[in-house]
């Protein structure tokens, strides 16, 4: 019996001595190896795409209670299977079909005999892994060894904010630099936010992202001088996790072209399915568009009850589904009566009300977030449809726990959620479909903030330099066109972006047509329009634009990035909603674009209507036109600097 026991033990140790494991995508283009390093027995992964190295051997590991589980590893494969899944999202009318191969590796840290698991999934559009550390009780994640060694000859596209806000709200201006310079390009230091897009070539794009961020701290990326990109967390001394430790997915999205990149659903594929107890019935979750009084101050009548009811009137006139009462409603005397009156007025017109609140008044976790639950009870009782929760200003674990619990408590009360001043999305809209959108983007509210800043400076007798010198990621300056043309190819890949588009009265250096096009290119299941809606109806130059604002979809069936696109210079997208196609374009330097229409159905004719820059109109001029188009036609359009256009194509009977 003793000899049998020794034999079984030796067999187990032998099973845990493999040094290399392999996984590939269902179509075979993406391959990964997980190896045990010969020098220090550390666990590493490497990735290739069609035989080209995408990620050189990079460390995998985690530190628990000060114990480093990345060294002296012995491991064995315990699972390797092909899986399929299908699901629906509120931001798409189509069912998403997904297929992947998954490998699970059991690892043992020899120095402390601690066991953990590496779970890796390989899809046709990318690869991801996470770590699972069994155990009970409260343990401290002292650090994580998530490493990415991407091609140093590539170009990095990342969000830059030239202030301490950079790592707090993910509101950076998207710009680019050589990958090899990523550690020194920012005055704020080498730590970058996600997503980080590596343009390996014109036909290969690799994006670092994070998926399924729950019960953990949000990861940032520290670019080292030696080229590695490694994990970084707000809590430099670690954070506590109760029970089993499950890291978020560490993700590489890998695509050959921009159309496949913008259509990537890998972040959602990796997110947990929704809880049937909360979301068996989702009929109350209604994507849509919202008017918004905060950005424009609605002609000095902000939070005046009659004016806010008139906002409901204009929302109905535009066909919008919501009005948002932002910061300031709680300062109104008898605030709940004020809200109830607007809710009842809106209900009669089919317009719901969304209320704003600062997270500081909700984040107290005592008694399972009693303060937040009580407030949400009041919101639901008054008949409002949802909440805009603002100023989380970080992604440490306590804030991640807060946003997760906010979504759960809101779902119990059938309230939709819009997060602002928050961390990046990681697939939450699949797990909690009552999250319609979140900010985590440098959006058009900055134009309002800049206008206020310039006004204050002028009132104090200070010189105001409007648009004379732009500092990438600087504060108190309007959104540049160069940021807008990149957003759908970067931040937009992670999920809906509450950019709050359309600001004709404060467009910065962009044109009206550019402002309109941004709403068609930057996706959000809850599209909150920045512009004063009263301005839309009284400004005669916008009368041709109004039909495009009324028709603006928030749910898309199909998206194609057209050949006129040059990342960082111009963006032209064709997007279909039902039977109607929209082509929208934005540019930085201006110029002519020739847009092929071969995405249209052969043999059909389409009625085309467009809005484009007026050649002599400067920023505030548009030209409308119409014609009949077929799939073999081309649409030629001239765009002004920082200009744009929108073309609507409706199939003719």
């Amino acid at each position: 019996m003793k000899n049998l026991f020794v034999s079984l033990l030796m067999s187990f140790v032998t099973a845990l001595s493999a040094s290399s494991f392999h996984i590939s995508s269902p179509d075979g283009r993406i391959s990964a190896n997980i190896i045990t390093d010969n020098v220090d027995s550390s666990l590493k992964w490497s990735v290739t795409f069609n035989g080209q190295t995408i990620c050189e051997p990079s460390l995998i590991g985690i530190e628990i209670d000060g114990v480093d589980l990345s060294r002296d590893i012995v491991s064995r494969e315990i699972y390797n299977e092909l899986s399929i899944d299908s699901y629906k999202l509120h931001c798409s009318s189509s069912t998403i079909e997904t297929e992947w191969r998954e490998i699970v590796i059991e690892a043992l840290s020899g120095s402390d005999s601690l066991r953990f698991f590496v779970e890796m999934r390989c899809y046709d559009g990318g690869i991801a892994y996470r770590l699972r550390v069994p155990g009970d009780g409260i343990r401290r994640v002292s650090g994580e060894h998530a490493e990415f060694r991407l091609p140093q000859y590539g170009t990095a596209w990342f969000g830059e904010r030239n202030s301490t806000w950079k790592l707090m709200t993910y509101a950076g201006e998207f710009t680019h630099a050589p990958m090899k310079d990523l550690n020194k390009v920012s005055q704020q230091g080498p730590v970058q936010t996600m997503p980080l897009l590596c343009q390996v070539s014109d036909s290969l794009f690799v994006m670092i992202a994070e998926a399924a961020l729950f019960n953990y701290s949000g990861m940032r990326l520290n670019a080292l001088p030696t080229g590695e990109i490694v994990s970084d967390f707000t809590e430099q001394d670690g954070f506590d996790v109760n029970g089993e430790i499950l890291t978020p997915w560490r993700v590489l999205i890998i695509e050959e072209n921009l159309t496949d990149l913008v259509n990537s659903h890998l972040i959602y594929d990796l997110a947990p399915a929704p809880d049937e107890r909360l979301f068996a019935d989702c009929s109350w979750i209604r994507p849509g568009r919202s008017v918004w009084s905060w950005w424009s101050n609605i002609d000095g009548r902000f939070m005046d009850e009659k004016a806010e009811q008139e906002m409901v009137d204009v929302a109905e006139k535009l066909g919008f589904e919501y009005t948002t009462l932002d910061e300031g409603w709680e300062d109104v005397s008898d605030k709940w009566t004020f809200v109830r009156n607007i809710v009842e007025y809106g209900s009669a017109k089919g317009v719901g009300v969304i209320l704003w609140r600062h997270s500081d008044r909700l984040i107290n976790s005592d008694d399972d977030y009693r303060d937040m639950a009580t407030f949400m009870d009041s919101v639901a009782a008054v008949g409002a449809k949802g909440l805009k929760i603002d100023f989380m200003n970080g992604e440490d674990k306590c804030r991640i726990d807060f946003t997760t619990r906010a979504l759960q408590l809101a779902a119990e009360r059938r309230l939709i959620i819009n997060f602002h001043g928050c961390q990046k999305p990681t697939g939450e809209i699949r797990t909690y479909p009552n999250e319609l959108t979140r900010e985590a983007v440098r959006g058009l509210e900055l134009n309002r903030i800049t206008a206020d800043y310039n006004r204050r400076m002028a009132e104090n007798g200070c010189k105001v330099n409007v648009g004379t010198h732009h500092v990438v990621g600087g504060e108190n300056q309007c959104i540049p066109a160069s940021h807008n043309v990149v957003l759908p190819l970067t931040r937009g890949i992670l999920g809906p972006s509450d950019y709050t588009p359309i600001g004709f009265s404060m467009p910065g250096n962009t044109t009206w047509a550019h402002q309109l096009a941004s709403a068609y290119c930057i996706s959000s299941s809850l599209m909150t329009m920045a512009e004063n809606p009263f301005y839309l109806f009284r400004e005669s130059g916008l009368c041709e634009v109004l039909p495009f604002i009324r028709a603006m979809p928030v749910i898309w069936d199909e998206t194609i990035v057209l050949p006129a696109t040059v990342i960082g210079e111009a963006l032209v997208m064709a997007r279909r909603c039902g039977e109607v196609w929209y082509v929208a374009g934005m540019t930085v330097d201006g110029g002519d674009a020739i847009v092929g229409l071969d995405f249209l159905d052969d043999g059909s004719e389409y009625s085309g209507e467009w809005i484009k820059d007026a050649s002599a109109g400067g920023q505030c001029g548009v030209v409308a036109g119409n014609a009949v188009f077929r799939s073999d036609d081309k649409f030629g359009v001239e765009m002004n600097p920082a200009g744009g256009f929108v073309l609507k194509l409706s199939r003719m009977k």
Side-chain angles (χ1 to χ4, degrees):
M1 179 63 72
K2 181 178 179 180
N3 290 336
L4 177 61
F5 174 77
V6 172
S7 177
L8 289 172
L9 179 62
M10 290 297 295
S11 297
F12 181 73
V13 171
T14 301
L16 280 173
S17 63
S19 59
S20 179
F21 310 96
H22 180 77
I23 187 174
S24 60
S25 59
D27 65 5
R29 296 186 305 164
I30 300 174
S31 295
N33 287 317
I34 303 174
I35 62 171
T36 304
D37 189 274
N38 291 330
V39 177
D40 59 4
S41 297
S42 61
L43 209 58
K44 296 183 177 180
W45 70 314
S46 61
V47 184
T48 63
F49 180 81
N50 285 336
Q52 178 181 354
T53 298
I54 297 301
C55 182
E56 295 182 357
S58 302
L59 193 62
I60 295 175
I62 193 169
E63 295 181 24
I64 306 296
D65 291 330
V67 177
D68 188 349
L69 302 188
S70 66
R71 312 287 177 180
D72 300 323
I73 299 295
V74 290
S75 54
R76 65 169 179 168
E77 178 183 307
I78 62 172
Y79 180 87
N80 193 327
E81 296 290 342
L82 188 68
S83 300
I84 59 173
D85 192 14
S86 64
Y87 58 92
K88 296 201 71 170
L89 297 173
H90 58 60
C91 61
S92 172
S93 61
S94 305
T95 298
I96 294 174
E97 307 281 350
T98 185
E99 182 180 24
W100 71 93
R101 181 167 289 280
E102 181 168 359
I103 186 172
V104 178
I105 296 168
E106 183 182 24
L108 192 68
S109 175
S111 59
D112 292 276
S113 301
L114 290 176
R115 186 171 60 109
F116 66 99
F117 297 87
V118 181
E119 302 172 359
M120 183 172 288
R121 294 183 182 179
C122 197
Y123 298 75
D124 289 344
I127 189 166
Y129 78 85
R130 66 181 177 185
L131 305 179
R132 178 162 55 88
V133 187
D136 299 314
I138 296 175
R139 292 174 293 171
R140 172 150 291 233
V141 177
S142 311
E144 186 183 336
H145 301 288
E147 186 176 84
F148 308 88
R149 300 181 64 203
L150 303 186
Q152 291 297 287
Y153 55 83
T155 299
W157 293 89
F158 60 98
E160 172 64 351
R161 190 167 185 181
N162 195 18
S163 75
T164 56
W165 285 94
K166 176 176 178 177
L167 301 178
M168 296 168 64
T169 62
Y170 279 75
E173 177 183 334
F174 270 88
T175 186
H176 65 284
M179 284 290 294
K180 63 182 178 60
D181 294 338
L182 197 56
N183 72 298
K184 58 186 178 182
V185 71
S186 173
Q187 294 183 23
Q188 298 305 308
V191 178
Q192 307 294 344
T193 59
M194 286 188 274
L196 188 146
L197 177 65
C198 176
Q199 183 180 359
V200 180
S201 68
D202 289 340
S203 58
L204 186 56
F205 302 87
V206 181
M207 178 176 282
I208 304 177
E210 181 174 41
L213 172 55
F214 302 109
N215 195 32
Y216 209 79
S217 182
M219 186 176 79
R220 299 93 59 93
L221 302 172
N222 186 4
L224 302 182
T226 48
E228 300 93 335
I229 296 173
V230 300
S231 54
D232 181 86
F233 298 92
T234 303
E235 306 95 330
Q236 296 295 303
D237 295 328
F239 51 91
D240 293 337
V241 175
N242 191 1
E244 180 178 72
I245 297 171
L246 187 65
T247 75
W249 293 96
R250 308 308 179 203
V251 185
L252 290 179
I253 298 172
I254 306 169
E255 296 290 2
E256 288 183 288
N257 60 71
L258 294 175
T259 292
D260 288 342
L261 182 64
V262 301
N263 286 289
S264 173
H265 43 76
L266 182 55
I267 299 300
Y268 310 132
D269 294 344
L270 293 163
D275 187 339
E276 284 294 330
R277 295 172 298 173
L278 290 175
F279 299 106
D281 172 23
C282 291
S283 60
W284 53 277
I285 301 173
R286 183 170 65 147
R289 301 149 300 172
S290 178
V291 293
W292 184 34
S293 58
W294 179 89
W295 192 82
S296 66
N297 200 35
I298 51 172
D299 307 319
R301 298 190 296 155
F302 180 63
M303 290 303 156
D304 173 80
E305 184 172 327
K306 187 175 187 305
E308 295 293 350
Q309 288 180 338
E310 289 174 8
M311 288 288 283
V312 171
D313 292 336
V314 79
E316 180 190 30
K317 195 173 181 180
L318 289 169
F320 281 19
E321 293 79 6
Y322 297 101
T323 183
T324 297
L325 297 180
D326 212 288
E327 182 179 13
W329 72 270
E330 293 183 277
D331 298 329
V332 176
S333 60
D334 199 0
K335 61 185 179 183
W336 289 113
T337 298
F338 168 76
V339 171
R340 183 177 289 105
N341 290 343
I342 297 171
V343 166
E344 291 176 354
Y345 189 82
S347 179
K349 295 175 177 289
V351 177
V353 174
I354 297 170
L355 297 177
W356 176 96
R357 193 167 237 213
H358 198 298
S359 68
D360 280 354
R361 303 187 65 183
L362 303 171
I363 201 169
N364 186 343
S365 62
D366 290 351
D367 195 15
D368 192 19
Y369 296 94
R370 179 183 63 252
D371 293 346
M372 179 162 56
T374 300
F375 175 73
M376 287 185 178
D377 286 340
S378 298
V379 172
V382 82
K385 299 300 183 182
L387 281 172
K388 177 180 178 179
I389 301 176
D390 207 346
F391 293 117
M392 273 69 75
N393 295 344
E395 56 182 333
D396 54 14
K397 184 175 179 294
C398 77
R399 285 170 174 80
I400 300 305
D401 292 345
F402 163 70
T403 55
T404 302
R405 193 63 181 131
L407 288 166
Q408 294 167 347
L409 292 172
E412 291 171 2
R413 292 153 179 81
R414 296 197 160 199
L415 297 173
I416 60 173
I417 291 292
N418 173 8
F419 286 122
H420 258 237
C422 58
Q423 76 281 1
K424 61 191 174 297
T426 66
E428 289 85 356
I429 67 167
R430 181 185 179 190
T431 309
Y432 298 101
N434 58 322
E435 180 184 316
L436 288 187
T437 191
R438 68 171 59 197
E439 191 182 28
V441 67
R442 195 176 186 88
L444 207 62
E445 70 174 31
L446 189 60
N447 286 20
R448 147 77 191 270
I449 293 169
T450 300
D452 289 348
Y453 170 81
N454 289 338
R455 174 182 48 78
R456 293 193 303 271
M457 293 289 285
E459 290 173 351
N460 292 327
C462 299
K463 184 179 179 180
V464 178
N465 295 318
V466 180
T468 57
H469 178 64
H470 182 82
V471 177
V472 174
E475 301 296 330
N476 299 311
Q477 53 186 12
C478 292
I479 298 291
S482 57
H483 174 69
N484 293 339
V485 300
V486 176
L487 273 184
L489 312 176
T490 49
R491 163 62 180 85
I493 310 305
L494 302 187
S497 312
D498 194 27
Y499 173 89
T500 62
I502 307 180
F504 300 122
S505 59
M506 290 183 276
N509 75 334
T510 67
T511 69
W512 279 1
H514 183 106
Q515 287 293 313
L516 179 66
S518 69
Y520 280 84
C521 293
I522 302 170
S523 297
S524 182
S525 307
L526 174 64
M527 196 286 289
T528 302
M529 181 179 68
E531 188 54 82
N532 178 354
F534 305 124
Y535 178 82
L536 297 179
F537 285 96
R538 67 171 178 255
E539 174 55 58
S540 60
L542 292 170
C543 62
E544 304 278 9
V545 175
L546 280 171
F548 286 82
I549 294 177
R550 288 191 178 100
M552 192 164 44
V554 295
I555 304 299
W556 298 99
D557 299 300
E558 191 172 353
T559 297
I560 304 169
V561 180
L562 297 178
T565 297
V566 179
I567 186 169
E569 298 178 18
L571 174 70
V572 182
M573 305 173 77
R575 313 193 76 180
R576 181 175 60 83
C577 178
E579 293 293 311
V580 180
W581 281 94
Y582 298 87
V583 183
M586 299 182 289
T587 182
V588 177
D589 295 325
D592 296 336
I594 306 298
V595 181
L597 304 178
D598 54 357
F599 52 84
L600 299 176
D601 289 343
D602 292 337
S604 295
E605 291 187 327
Y606 290 78
S607 173
E609 305 167 82
W610 63 82
I611 293 290
K612 65 177 184 177
D613 297 318
S615 58
Q619 287 180 282
C620 303
V622 296
V623 170
N626 62 84
V628 174
F629 294 97
R630 300 173 182 83
S631 62
D632 56 355
D633 287 331
K634 297 184 185 301
F635 176 68
V637 59
E638 181 182 356
M639 291 181 281
N640 293 346
F645 73 92
V646 177
L647 167 66
K648 179 182 179 181
L649 296 160
S650 305
R651 189 197 301 269
M652 300 173 68
K653 302 298 184 183

